[in-house]
Amino acid sequence: YVFESRTTPVDFALGGLILGWQKGLQAIKAGGGIVLYIPPSLGYGASDITSGGQVIIPANSYLKFVISLRNVQ
């Protein structure tokens, strides 16, 4: 299921991202894109991710992200 979808740009500090994003984003340049398939060991592991008391990402989830990298600072 889709837990988040954005069409507007968002700024992130690389060190604050899950390990799968930290590794994957280094494989592309500004203006590029990538599809990341992230195993639990590089994502959120054995922890549920919750919002408002509801689980939005179950523990041990495999994750898929479609990313467009617009700029690097």
Side-chain angles (χ1 to χ4, degrees):
Y1 65 88
V2 175
F3 67 90
E4 184 174 353
S5 179
R6 295 180 187 219
T7 56
T8 57
V10 179
D11 293 331
F12 294 105
L14 190 61
L17 301 172
I18 59 173
L19 193 54
W21 274 52
Q22 290 179 31
K23 292 176 178 270
L25 290 179
Q26 293 181 52
I28 59 174
K29 295 179 182 178
I34 194 168
V35 177
L36 296 177
Y37 295 90
I38 301 177
S41 61
L42 298 177
Y44 299 104
S47 300
D48 286 333
I49 302 302
T50 61
S51 178
Q54 291 188 310
V55 175
I56 57 171
I57 304 174
N60 298 310
S61 289
Y62 285 80
L63 307 171
K64 175 185 174 185
F65 295 94
V66 179
I67 300 169
S68 296
L69 184 62
R70 296 184 181 209
N71 194 12
V72 177
Q73 296 178 348

